[in-house]
């Protein structure tokens, strides 16, 4: 796909501060976590008047990436508490992992589970907490990780290290590989799990038109959706090639400076070969900094760490 098409908004539904990740369940309901620690389930989103918001649990931290398990429970990457399992029926919260490689988990970001029971999740930064995320983007620390929690294990293993703000993660249709978003490098990485290239990583999509955040795949044969939280910033790419001391000084300024996201938003969707099958954009958008997207009820639903609600948009024609 060479040219982007318009992202068409329909309506907005307030849910609370910072619904950073959105995922859909088999009934077309949307699950999200907000900044005050609540895990929410949203229903009837096609009608802003009839839409319902239900509190399922409270993590006691800051939930980010979510993954729905076959039994209906949720895996939650909590930026303050680590990797959690949340019961959607009774609201119980259990910590699955809060440390890795001898250090506390900080800034867990996104998670997927495989059919064998293994769980893969990302840590965006080992240097900066969520509230200072822009410092990591500016300094370009390369301290992001991909971790694996084996079935029955209580300590995750490091699969990949040195990632530039590791973020969204999705699994290939046949579970032979994972796709990991590197927000700070504007690229998607493919990490092979099986086959002759098992254990190796390679670019999946490079030079994206923006900074990729969460990834979502509704079905094994469906596209891999990626929310581009912001457009590429040429001066930032130039700074990334400068000396470490200069980047660190710039990061100290960035975390103290007022931040307001741009009004240009974009989404992309890929097939398993890395081809773009959808590219949607909107300039001067009233809904800023989309950090996630999912399909639900025949629409696209956008989440944002910046906004106080979700945006319901037109889904592009299938093809």
């Amino acid at each position: 796909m060479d040219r982007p098409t318009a992202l068409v908004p329909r309506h907005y539904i307030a849910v609370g501060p910072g619904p950073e990740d959105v995922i859909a369940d088999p009934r077309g309901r949307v699950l999200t976590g907000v900044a005050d620690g609540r895990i929410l389930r949203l229903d009837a989103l096609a009608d802003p008047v009839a839409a319902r918001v239900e509190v399922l649990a409270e993590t006691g931290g800051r939930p980010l990436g979510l993954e729905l398990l076959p039994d209906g429970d949720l895996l939650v990457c909590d930026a303050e508490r680590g990797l959690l399992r949340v019961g959607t029926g009774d609201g119980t919260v259990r910590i699955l992992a809060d440390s890795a490689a001898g250090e506390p988990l900080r800034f867990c970001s996104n998670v997927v589970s495989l059919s064998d029971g293994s769980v893969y999740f990302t840590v965006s930064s080992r240097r900066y907490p969520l509230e200072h995320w822009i410092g990591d983007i500016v300094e370009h620390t390369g301290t992001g990780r991909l971790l694996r929690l084996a079935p029955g294990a209580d300590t995750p293993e490091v699969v990949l290290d040195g990632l530039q703000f590791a973020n969204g993660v999705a699994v290939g249709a046949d579970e032979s590989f994972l796709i990991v978003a590197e927000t700070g490098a504007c690229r998607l990485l493919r990490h092979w799990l099986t086959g002759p290239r098992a254990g190796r990583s390679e670019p999946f999509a490079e030079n994206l038109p923006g900074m990729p955040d969460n990834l979502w795949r509704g079905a094994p044969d469906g596209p891999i959706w990626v929310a581009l939280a912001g457009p590429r910033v040429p001066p930032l790419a130039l700074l990334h090639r400068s000396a470490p001391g200069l980047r660190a000084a710039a990061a100290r300024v960035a975390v103290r400076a007022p931040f307001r996201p741009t009004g240009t938003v974009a989404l992309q969707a890929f097939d398993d070969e890395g081809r773009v099958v959808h590219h949607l954009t909107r300039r001067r958008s009233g809904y800023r900094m989309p950090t996630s997207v999912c399909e639900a009820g025949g629409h696209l639903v956008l989440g944002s760490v910046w906004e106080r609600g979700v945006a319901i948009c037109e889904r592009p024609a299938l093809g």
Side-chain angles (χ1 to χ4, degrees):
M1 175 172 291
D2 297 325
R3 300 183 61 182
T5 56
L7 176 65
V8 180
R10 284 305 177 197
H11 51 268
Y12 173 92
I13 297 174
V15 300
E20 195 269 348
D21 192 21
V22 289
I23 63 171
D25 72 9
R27 293 174 54 182
R29 300 173 298 184
V30 171
L31 299 148
T32 189
V34 290
D36 58 18
R38 290 176 298 149
I39 302 295
L40 309 175
R41 183 162 58 204
L42 320 177
D43 201 3
L45 295 182
D47 183 348
V49 176
R52 298 186 297 275
V53 180
E54 176 187 5
V55 178
L56 299 181
E58 296 188 17
T59 69
R62 201 328 178 181
L64 297 177
L66 310 176
E67 169 82 339
L68 190 63
L69 294 169
D71 64 3
D73 280 1
L74 275 176
L75 294 175
V76 178
C77 280
D78 191 292
E80 298 173 2
R81 302 193 65 197
L83 180 66
L84 312 178
R85 182 177 180 127
V86 173
T88 55
D90 58 10
T92 57
V93 177
R94 180 162 63 94
I95 297 175
L96 297 182
D98 58 8
S99 65
E103 63 183 56
L105 282 175
R106 180 162 72 167
F107 209 159
C108 291
S109 191
N110 204 238
V111 58
V112 292
S113 62
L114 273 61
S115 59
D116 67 356
S118 59
V119 172
Y120 289 84
F121 64 105
T122 55
V123 171
S124 291
S125 175
R126 294 164 59 204
R127 188 171 301 176
Y128 290 89
L130 172 63
E131 60 268 26
H132 292 157
W133 63 268
I134 197 170
D136 197 280
I137 296 294
V138 170
E139 188 174 351
H140 210 52
T141 68
T143 59
R145 283 175 162 175
L146 174 68
L147 305 177
R148 176 179 183 265
L149 186 66
D154 56 9
T155 302
E157 60 181 297
V158 178
V159 178
L160 291 177
D161 208 345
L163 301 178
Q164 292 294 348
F165 205 89
N167 210 322
V169 58
V171 63
D174 61 358
E175 297 195 350
S176 65
F177 63 87
L178 298 175
I179 302 298
V180 180
E182 286 188 275
T183 305
C186 294
R187 70 185 173 204
L188 304 179
L189 189 72
R190 187 202 309 261
H191 179 72
W192 291 97
L193 301 176
T194 63
R197 288 174 283 182
R200 299 180 185 178
S201 301
E202 63 191 24
F204 181 76
E206 297 186 282
N207 299 314
L208 298 181
M211 297 182 179
D213 204 292
N214 287 319
L215 306 181
W216 181 82
R217 185 171 217 168
D221 59 350
I224 301 167
W225 281 99
V226 53
L228 300 177
R232 296 178 69 96
V233 181
L236 185 61
L238 182 63
L239 177 65
H240 287 170
R241 295 194 291 271
S242 67
L246 181 59
R247 299 199 309 270
R252 288 193 292 271
V253 173
V255 298
R256 292 172 173 80
F259 173 78
R260 180 172 175 78
T262 73
T264 298
V265 300
L267 312 171
Q268 287 190 315
F270 294 84
D271 65 16
D272 275 16
E273 302 304 317
R275 294 183 292 255
V276 178
V277 295
H278 297 296
H279 184 184
L280 308 175
T281 64
R282 183 172 181 83
R283 298 181 63 187
R284 296 183 292 275
S285 171
Y287 191 86
R288 296 172 181 250
M289 200 175 179
T291 51
S292 56
V293 57
C294 71
E295 297 182 54
H299 296 84
L300 292 180
V301 181
L302 275 59
S304 169
V305 74
W306 176 264
E307 300 285 352
R308 297 185 64 86
V310 300
I312 313 302
C313 302
E314 283 190 6
R315 185 180 67 180
L318 301 178

